[in-house]
Amino acid sequence: MGELALSNENEGLKRFWPYVRNVTLVLLVIWSIFAVFIHLLALFDWWRSIKILGYPAHWIFGTQFSIIAYIVLIFTYAYLVSKKEEEML
Amino acid sequence: MNIGITAFVFASILIFIGVAYWTRTGRVEDFYVAGRSIKPHVSGAATAAAWMSAASFISMAGVIAILGYDAVPFLIGWSGGYVLLAMLIAPYLRKYGKYTIPEFVEDRYYDPKMRLLGVIIVLMIAFIYALGQFIGIGIALSMTLGIPVVMGIWLTVIVIMIYTTLGGMKSVTYVEVAQYLILIVAYLVALFAASFVIKGYVFPHVQAGELLNEIVTREAQFGQKTMVDPFVNKVAGGSGVLNWIFTALILMVGTVGMPHIMVKYYLVPSARDARFSVGWALVFIALLYLSASTYAIVGRYLLVDQLLGHSVDQVQQIGWARTMKDLGMLNPRDLNGNGILDSFAEIGIRKDAIVMGMPMMANLPWFIVALVITGGFAAALSTSGALLLTMTVSLTRDIYKRFINPDVTEAKEIWIARVATVIMASTIAFLASLLYESGGIIAVIVGWAYSVSVASLVPLFVLGIWTKIGKKAMMAGVIVGLAVCYTYLLGNFFGFIQPVLGLGQIAGGGIFGGIACFVTALVVQTITKEKPPEHVVSLLDSLKLPETPRK
C-alpha cells in the first residue's frame, strides 16, 4: 500500500504539476502586459490622444481595463487548475 | 458636533460589536482560522474589507484627484497583486494548512530561528500598515465630532481594542463582511449622488469622461499640468516613468506578502476554494477601485469649479471650505501674489480630506455625508482589526506558546492576546499621532509596508514554495534585503538619500531591498549548496499534488 501511495503521488506530480506551472507561466505573461507594458504607452502622444468613452486611452486602461483583466485572469486560472484537478482524481 | 452624523457612526460601531458578540467562539480552531469553514465568496468579502483600508477608502481617490494619472499606480498596484497571490501563494498556503504565517516559515526552513524572523517581519509589516489606518480613523472622527485628528486617533484606540479582543478570527471575518457592505454602499451612494447633482449623470463611470475633459480644459487655461498628464508629479518622494512603473510593481508584488491577507486563505475549506476566494476578493475590491478614479474626477471637478481662479477671501465665504480650514484640512494661500488661487499648491487641500469632504463640497444631504464618514470609519476599523489580530496571534502563538510556555491553557493564551492588543494598539496610536503632525499621507505610509514585504516576506514564500532553497541562503537574503530597504525608505523620507533613478520611498525601498534579498539568497545558496532535509522536500511535493475535492 505504501509503495502504491508513493507511486500515485509521483504520477500526480508528473502530470498535474507541469500543467499548473505552464498555466501559471502563460497567465503571468498576460498579467505583465496589463501590469506594466500597456502603461508605458502613456509616454506616447498618439496613445494619449485616443479617446475611449470620452477618456484618454492611457487613463481608461490604467483605471478600468487593467483591473477587469486581473479579475478575468484569476478566474481563468482557478477554473483551469480546478478542472484539471477534478480530471485527475 | 452634528448629532445625526455622530448617531450614524455609533450605530455602525454597535452593529460591529453586535456581530462580533453573536459570532464569538471558545474553540481554538475558530479563534485562529474560523474553523476553516468560510465559503469562498464570504471569505472574498471579508478579504476585501480587510484589504480596503483607510488608504483605499479615504486616501486613494484623493491622491488621484490631486496627482491625477501619476497616482494610478496605487490603483493598479493594489489590485494587480491579487493575480500573483492567486497563482503563487494562496492555494499552497491552504494545502499546507496550519494556523500562522511564521509556522509555515519554521516548517519550510526547518529552524525555530526562522520562525522568529517570520514573526519580526509580520510585526514590522502589520505595524507600518496599521499606522496609516489609525491616521484614517483620526480623520473620520475629526470630521464626525469636530475634534482634532490626533484626539480622534486616541479616542478610537478603545473602540478597536474592544472590537478585536471580543472574538477571534471567526467573529472578525463576519464583522468584516458587515463592514464591507457599509463601506461599499457609502462609497457608491456618494459617488452616484454627487454625479447626479452636478451633471445629472446616471452611470458616472461611463459618463465622467466628459467631466474629465472639462477639468483638463479649465486647468490648461491656468497654465497648470492637467489631471491626465503622465509622469509629471512627485509620488512618494520620486518622479518620472520609472518611479510610476516601479511603484505599481512594488505594490503588486508586496500584496503577495501582506500577512493579514495571507491568513485569509487558511480560513476556507480547500485549495480550490482558496483559488476562487482570491477572485471573489478582487471582484468585491473592484467595485470600489473601478469607482475610485470617477470619484477622483468628481472631487477634482468640484475643487476646480469652486476654488480655482477665486481669491482667498472668496474661498473663505464658502461654508464647507471654512469647515475644512477649521479642521486643518484646507489651507488656501496666494503664494505668487496674483490675487487668485491658480494651482493645487495654492488651494492647499489635504489629499486625505477629499473623499470624506466631497459630499459637503457637492452640497449633498447630511445623511450621505454621514454615510461616507461611517464608510471611512468601517474601512479603517476592518483593516485595523485584521492587522491587530495578525500581530497578536503571532505574539501569542508564535512567541509565547512556541518558545516561552508551550503548555499554556487556552484561556490564558487568549488573555495574553488581549494584553498584547492593548500594548500594540496604544503604541501604534502614539506613532500615528506623530506621523500625522509631520504630514505623512496615508497611502504613502501604507506603501512602506509593501516595500518591506517585497524585501522579506515575498521572497521567503515565493522561493520557499517554488524552489528548494536552503535556510542559510534565505536568512542571509532576508536580513540584507531588509537592511537595504529600510536604509532607502528612511534615508529618502528624512532627506539623507536623494532619489536614485528618480525612485521614491515605495519604489526604491522595494526594488533595491527586493533585489538585494533575491541576489544575496541565490549567491549564498550557490556557495553553500545546502539542500533541505527529506521531510521538507516531501512537504513541498505535497503542496504540488492535486487535492481531493471536498464533499
Side-chain angles (χ1 to χ4, degrees):
Chain A
M1 280 300 286
E3 281 177 15
L4 184 64
L6 191 65
S7 152
N8 281 344
E9 282 195 0
N10 286 339
E11 188 61 23
L13 267 181
K14 271 185 203 160
R15 287 174 53 208
F16 181 65
W17 182 242
Y19 175 83
V20 174
R21 208 179 41 205
N22 292 342
V23 167
T24 304
L25 192 65
V26 169
L27 293 178
L28 281 180
V29 169
I30 300 171
W31 168 83
S32 70
I33 294 169
F34 288 97
V36 178
F37 298 113
I38 198 92
H39 306 297
L40 290 173
L41 291 175
L43 287 166
F44 303 106
D45 290 340
W46 62 267
W47 178 249
R48 296 199 304 272
S49 66
I50 295 173
K51 291 282 172 72
I52 302 168
L53 296 171
Y55 296 97
H58 69 300
W59 180 274
I60 202 161
F61 267 89
T63 62
Q64 308 289 319
F65 293 165
S66 288
I67 299 172
I68 293 167
Y70 300 149
I71 294 172
V72 172
L73 284 171
I74 294 176
F75 279 111
T76 305
Y77 169 80
Y79 172 76
L80 290 174
V81 173
S82 299
K83 190 163 167 265
K84 183 74 177 176
E85 205 169 38
E86 281 167 18
E87 277 173 19
M88 292 202 54
L89 292 166
Chain B
M1 184 191 298
N2 184 311
I3 300 295
I5 294 174
T6 309
F8 257 73
V9 172
F10 279 97
S12 74
I13 291 172
L14 286 178
I15 290 172
F16 303 148
I17 292 176
V19 173
Y21 184 78
W22 182 49
T23 54
R24 72 193 186 283
T25 178
R27 291 177 58 220
V28 167
E29 194 170 48
D30 281 345
F31 193 87
Y32 286 127
V33 289
R36 303 193 199 282
S37 59
I38 303 294
K39 294 206 162 32
H41 58 280
V42 176
S43 168
T47 307
W51 182 252
M52 288 193 294
S53 58
S56 292
F57 189 98
I58 299 174
S59 194
M60 190 163 60
V63 176
I64 298 172
I66 300 298
L67 300 179
Y69 184 75
D70 286 348
V72 169
F74 289 107
L75 203 55
I76 57 168
W78 282 336
S79 52
Y82 276 82
V83 181
L84 301 178
L85 191 60
M87 295 183 196
L88 301 180
I89 299 285
Y92 307 106
L93 265 184
R94 178 59 194 88
K95 274 185 191 166
Y96 168 67
K98 289 279 180 80
Y99 288 120
T100 70
I101 302 302
E103 265 182 307
F104 176 85
V105 176
E106 179 180 357
D107 288 357
R108 166 60 184 87
Y109 294 105
Y110 43 96
D111 190 339
K113 287 198 287 290
M114 290 301 283
R115 186 168 182 151
L116 274 178
L117 188 63
V119 172
I120 293 167
I121 296 167
V122 164
L123 290 179
M124 277 194 300
I125 293 171
F127 195 88
I128 298 171
Y129 209 122
L131 280 177
Q133 308 316 309
F134 273 61
I135 295 174
I137 294 171
I139 291 173
L141 276 190
S142 165
M143 288 192 156
T144 312
L145 306 175
I147 56 174
V149 170
V150 172
M151 194 187 290
I153 290 171
W154 281 99
L155 277 178
T156 313
V157 168
I158 297 166
V159 178
I160 289 182
M161 284 188 302
I162 295 170
Y163 163 71
T164 51
T165 54
L166 196 62
M169 186 60 87
K170 188 177 176 188
S171 298
V172 166
T173 301
Y174 286 106
V175 172
E176 282 168 347
V177 174
Q179 287 165 332
Y180 175 77
L181 290 174
I182 289 176
L183 75 89
I184 198 66
V185 167
Y187 205 84
L188 293 180
V189 164
L191 173 61
F192 277 81
S195 309
F196 188 77
V197 166
I198 297 168
K199 289 283 179 184
Y201 294 156
V202 180
F203 191 37
H205 301 69
V206 175
Q207 295 168 287
E210 175 198 50
L211 206 56
L212 182 61
N213 291 322
E214 215 173 300
I215 294 168
V216 169
T217 308
R218 185 85 186 275
E219 288 173 346
Q221 287 169 357
F222 285 92
Q224 297 298 320
K225 295 289 182 189
T226 71
M227 195 174 187
V228 298
D229 287 340
F231 320 127
V232 290
N233 290 296
K234 208 168 181 181
V235 179
S239 57
V241 63
L242 274 183
N243 187 57
W244 197 102
I245 291 292
F246 283 129
T247 301
L249 262 180
I250 291 306
L251 295 178
M252 287 179 208
V253 179
T255 299
V256 175
M258 284 294 120
H260 65 300
I261 299 302
M262 289 166 98
V263 294
K264 296 290 182 201
Y265 302 105
Y266 285 136
L267 314 185
V268 292
S270 68
R272 181 183 190 278
D273 291 325
R275 284 180 214 114
F276 281 99
S277 168
V278 184
W280 281 113
L282 192 53
V283 167
F284 289 124
I285 290 167
L287 282 179
L288 190 140
Y289 279 24
L290 291 173
S291 307
S293 59
T294 315
Y295 206 119
I297 291 171
V298 173
R300 180 133 167 169
Y301 174 82
L302 289 164
L303 290 172
V304 167
D305 188 50
Q306 298 183 37
L307 306 187
L308 200 68
H310 294 82
S311 69
V312 174
D313 287 341
Q314 285 172 323
V315 166
Q316 284 172 349
Q317 301 302 314
I318 302 170
W320 66 261
R322 253 196 331 269
T323 307
M324 279 199 167
K325 192 168 184 295
D326 292 343
L327 293 170
M329 304 287 179
L330 186 75
N331 184 22
R333 288 169 302 167
D334 182 13
L335 297 172
N336 58 12
N338 65 353
I340 56 166
L341 301 173
D342 59 8
S343 68
F344 276 91
E346 292 197 341
I347 289 173
I349 189 164
R350 273 189 74 100
K351 299 176 186 79
D352 296 340
I354 290 176
V355 168
M356 308 295 270
M358 194 270 270
M360 286 192 284
M361 297 179 208
N363 204 19
L364 295 179
W366 72 269
F367 60 87
I368 295 182
V369 178
L371 197 58
V372 172
I373 290 171
T374 310
F377 194 61
L381 273 184
S382 62
T383 309
S384 303
L387 289 164
L388 276 177
L389 193 65
T390 305
M391 284 189 276
T392 50
V393 165
S394 270
L395 284 174
T396 50
R397 194 171 177 88
D398 294 318
I399 298 286
Y400 185 77
K401 190 177 168 70
R402 172 69 178 84
F403 294 106
I404 299 171
N405 185 5
D407 301 322
V408 63
T409 61
E410 285 183 13
K412 192 174 179 191
E413 194 178 339
I414 291 170
W415 184 83
I416 287 177
R418 287 181 176 139
V419 173
T421 306
V422 172
I423 295 169
M424 200 59 83
S426 305
T427 312
I428 295 167
F430 175 71
L431 286 175
S433 308
L434 291 182
L435 267 173
Y436 179 79
E437 295 290 357
S438 67
I441 60 167
I442 301 170
V444 174
I445 293 169
V446 169
W448 293 353
Y450 290 79
S451 305
V452 175
S453 164
V454 171
S456 56
L457 217 49
V458 173
L460 208 56
F461 272 82
V462 172
L463 290 177
I465 290 171
W466 288 76
T467 73
K468 293 189 169 67
I469 195 164
K471 70 173 176 190
K472 287 177 192 156
M474 208 58 249
M475 190 182 277
V478 167
I479 291 170
V480 172
L482 283 174
V484 171
C485 176
Y486 269 107
T487 304
Y488 195 90
L489 271 183
L490 297 175
N492 187 260
F493 183 69
F494 288 111
F496 303 128
I497 296 176
Q498 292 306 308
V500 179
L501 300 172
L503 300 181
Q505 292 137 33
I506 298 172
I511 285 291
F512 297 131
I515 290 174
C517 180
F518 274 101
V519 170
T520 306
L522 295 177
V523 167
V524 174
Q525 179 64 25
T526 310
I527 294 167
T528 60
K529 296 187 170 52
E530 183 188 6
K531 285 180 183 165
E534 198 52 43
H535 73 275
V536 174
V537 175
S538 300
L539 169 72
L540 290 175
D541 284 348
S542 71
L543 298 181
K544 293 163 187 170
L545 286 169
E547 189 187 49
T548 312
R550 72 190 157 95
K551 302 289 179 206

